[in-house]
Amino acid sequence: MSNRVVCREASHAGSWYTASDGVSLCHPGWSTVALSQLTATSASQVQAILVPQPPKSGITGPQLNAQLEGWLSQVQSTKRPARAIIAPHAGYTYCGSCAAHAYKQVDPSITRRIFILGPSHHVPLSRCALSSVDIYRTPLYDLRIDQKIYGELWKTGMFERMSLQTDEDEHSIEMHLPYTAKAMESHKDEFTIIPVLVGALSESKEQEFGKLFSKYLADPSNLFVVSSDFCHWGQRFRYSYYDESQGEIYRSIEHLDKMGMSIIEQLDPVSFSNYLKKYHNTICGRHPIGVLLNAITELQKNGMNMSFSFLNYAQSSQCRNWQDSSVSYAAGALTVH
């Protein structure tokens, strides 16, 4: 039996981690699968929309460290220690400052395991998938996957394995790795990560996975990172909901997003599902969010008292006409009382 350590490279470093112009505002190569999952339409009914990926320019650990420090230094730790956070996964030039509001709530002194739940953008997946590697690389330092927890999850029979190719193509987990490394740097040899790729789950499967993860969410030494952007608006995303009563298009988008954010703060998975069915808001991490809400519901049944607060909201640009497009970002934290 081989003892060779398998690593996932930081495949989006350079093109997504820099704060320069030209970084993709959401996802560098929207596949048909990704778009279909956004609009809840079958893949055969939509056309692939490709956003050109900028060339990789590379970024050093010190450069990235300074960038993250700059964003984190501008926000307050009002909801610390967080048991879970929701944060975006776009290029840092668009969402780096927003994500800082969530990561500022992480307490490295008590956190020992970090579950990172990210949506699948490139491959069809009806369940959840675990990585096939041992180490996730970042420009700051390497992050070690918790093989003990992975073993527990694998034994349930509820998970698939993602290939290295799928792992490195997917950005929804990777974009949280530098921030995770930065938030935990004072205890960098004392924690592990549990990356989970979340597929297009049915409501019943969101409940099943929520129940499974609830026992881990109950442990104060665990942190859940839920990866999601919010509304993807414009022709390129095949989504153009507009409530004229809100004024400019970007204000309608904000109102739509904040309706959903308010429901998330109510910790109600059924209401969140109903909101998505009514408005079809293109929240790409809706399934990871659904899993988190169902895990919380499970713990509330046992008397655990929790609250979730969004701390920041941003848009990549302000849409004013039908030719415009934007992606929204939100950051928030779950605390246990």
Side-chain angles (χ1 to χ4, degrees), residues 169-183:
D169 285 348
E170 182 56 64
H171 62 278
S172 72
I173 294 172
E174 180 181 342
M175 294 308 294
H176 288 278
L177 303 178
Y179 254 123
T180 295
K182 180 61 182 171

Side-chain angles (χ1 to χ4, degrees), residues 266-298:
Q266 293 165 28
L267 306 179
D268 185 349
V270 175
S271 293
F272 186 59
S273 292
N274 290 338
Y275 159 83
L276 292 170
K277 288 173 188 172
K278 181 175 181 179
Y279 296 101
H280 306 285
N281 193 1
T282 46
I283 300 172
C284 54
R286 63 186 178 276
H287 297 299
I289 292 171
V291 170
L292 175 66
L293 292 178
N294 277 284
I296 292 167
T297 297
E298 196 67 26

